[in-house]
Amino acid sequence: MDIVRIWETYSKRIGHVVLLKRDIKDIYNKRISELKSISQNKQRKELIKKFPMSAHNMSFIDPTSGERFFYNHESMYLDDKLLLINNQKNREYQFLLMEAYEIFEDTLEELYAYTMINDRNIWPNEIKNISNEEIIQKDFKYFCRKANQRKGGAIKIGMQLIDYLECNIKWEGLSLKQRIIFVEKLRHIIVHKRGYLSDKNEFILKVAKDSGTFNNGKICEKLKEYINCFVSSEENGITVILDECILTPPPLMPIRIEYNRFELLIDNLMVCIYLIIKKLTERSINNIV
């Protein structure tokens, strides 16, 4: 596996995730638009306020008696439907972020394997003592397996490569490490807690500590502001929010301006792999790797 193919495979797989996200956005926004147009109909406006748009019974058959057991009933008003659709759209985005992060992890392991093949300085302890003759006989899959077994997982590999290649750049007040650790923590919350945070401050502290930016008991204010753009307080708790934030357009400009949360997080994953590959390519040109 050469480094060009690693990049082409990664960018194509992430590109497909982004396309899925855009399709999901179109589907849900169309449904939201349809519901909102109903409320604008003067004849239906008063009826919508007084009566539900739909009613739903939920039941199952009790196998011991053969009787139907009703366990829930919901009357859905317009606002209820809009909230349900918005929440499900956000949940779909969360699933896609999980998928994008798994692709990111796979690629980090491939890049670590590539680096191990070419530079003994980064080899893990378990293969440092293998002779050159043995290494020559190993294929790329062997090194990928070693990368997959790396203690600490792919995120540890990512942090090691960022340090080793000196690519922890900062833009808009946040470093690459902060951004990647943040996405990793979001993914953990989505997978293990259905996207809900029990304590926002504890979450911010964890991101700061794991990215090495918790200095003398202080957390970077820019990091706090950034994280707050992706978490939202709800009645049932604080949740990861990835759907689009509609911004107020400039005066006299009839355009829609969005803060695209999901694709901003994808940008962080893309920049990380891009910079690692760029640095590895530069080292290869200089005969270091």
Side-chain angles (χ1 to χ4, degrees):
M1 176 73 77
D2 63 78
I3 204 162
V4 174
R5 284 182 61 195
I6 292 174
W7 169 255
E8 288 176 347
T9 302
Y10 174 68
S11 55
K12 193 174 187 66
R13 292 179 71 191
I14 293 292
H16 286 167
V17 172
V18 173
L19 287 176
L20 278 173
K21 178 265 178 186
R22 293 178 182 178
D23 278 344
I24 287 168
K25 175 187 173 183
D26 290 343
I27 291 167
Y28 278 94
N29 283 357
K30 183 179 179 181
R31 180 59 179 146
I32 290 168
S33 179
E34 289 171 351
L35 288 171
K36 286 184 176 179
S37 68
I38 293 173
S39 67
Q40 293 168 357
N41 185 305
K42 291 182 179 179
Q43 295 178 341
R44 296 184 179 182
K45 203 167 188 179
E46 292 303 316
L47 289 174
I48 288 170
K49 290 180 181 178
K50 294 179 180 178
F51 302 103
M53 296 184 71
S54 61
H56 304 268
N57 288 319
M58 294 134 214
S59 63
F60 63 91
I61 301 295
D62 179 352
T64 62
S65 65
E67 296 180 358
R68 182 168 295 279
F69 185 87
F70 290 87
Y71 63 89
N72 194 29
H73 172 84
E74 292 284 345
S75 295
M76 300 291 292
Y77 291 82
L78 177 63
D79 288 345
D80 298 325
K81 281 185 172 288
L82 288 171
L83 180 62
L84 188 68
I85 290 170
N86 275 312
N87 287 343
Q88 186 57 34
K89 175 187 171 188
N90 186 60
R91 188 65 177 151
E92 297 273 6
Y93 285 4
Q94 290 179 359
F95 290 142
L96 287 179
L97 184 66
M98 288 163 46
E99 184 173 348
Y101 188 79
E102 288 174 4
I103 295 168
F104 174 71
E105 285 189 319
D106 292 344
T107 307
L108 283 177
E109 289 176 359
E110 289 178 345
L111 289 172
Y112 190 63
Y114 174 88
T115 311
M116 279 195 289
I117 291 172
N118 293 281
D119 191 345
R120 278 183 174 267
N121 291 325
I122 204 169
W123 282 17
N125 291 328
E126 61 266 25
I127 62 172
K128 272 190 175 178
N129 296 323
I130 298 178
S131 67
N132 287 332
E133 289 75 16
E134 291 178 279
I135 289 299
I136 291 171
Q137 298 175 18
K138 307 294 184 184
D139 59 12
F140 186 71
K141 290 181 180 179
Y142 168 83
F143 291 97
C144 284
R145 287 195 298 272
K146 288 298 179 183
N148 183 258
Q149 295 164 5
R150 180 78 164 82
K151 187 176 180 180
I155 191 65
K156 190 68 176 288
I157 286 173
M159 296 301 105
Q160 183 179 354
L161 286 172
I162 289 170
D163 286 339
Y164 184 68
L165 298 169
E166 299 178 342
C167 55
N168 190 30
I169 67 166
K170 182 181 285 189
W171 72 98
E172 296 178 356
L174 294 175
S175 70
L176 180 59
K177 275 189 175 183
Q178 287 173 317
R179 293 167 182 273
I180 297 304
I181 290 292
F182 174 55
V183 179
E184 188 269 335
K185 298 302 178 193
L186 283 184
R187 174 257 174 202
H188 182 85
I189 294 295
I190 292 166
V191 171
H192 298 286
K193 298 186 178 180
R194 297 192 70 253
Y196 286 94
L197 291 78
S198 55
D199 189 316
K200 187 196 295 187
N201 292 330
E202 184 180 326
F203 177 76
I204 294 173
L205 179 62
K206 184 70 173 170
V207 173
K209 284 184 174 179
D210 287 7
S211 60
T213 53
F214 183 65
N215 299 316
N216 299 319
K218 294 181 180 180
I219 299 174
C220 169
E221 288 299 322
K222 191 68 179 178
L223 180 62
K224 289 182 184 178
E225 292 173 11
Y226 186 72
I227 291 176
N228 281 325
C229 291
F230 297 88
V231 293
S232 174
S233 297
E234 294 183 349
E235 290 182 6
N236 298 325
I238 305 164
T239 187
V240 175
I241 183 161
L242 301 180
D243 66 355
E244 299 80 19
C245 175
I246 310 303
L247 304 177
T248 304
L252 305 179
M253 291 189 68
I255 58 174
R256 179 186 176 98
I257 302 176
E258 295 179 346
Y259 185 80
N260 196 326
R261 295 182 180 93
F262 179 88
E263 292 194 34
L264 286 171
L265 295 178
I266 295 297
D267 288 351
N268 293 334
L269 302 183
M270 294 303 298
V271 168
C272 183
I273 299 300
Y274 168 78
L275 289 176
I276 289 173
I277 287 178
K278 184 179 180 182
K279 289 286 187 177
L280 286 172
T281 303
E282 289 171 356
R283 284 171 174 252
S284 179
I285 292 171
N286 293 322
N287 296 319
I288 297 174
V289 173

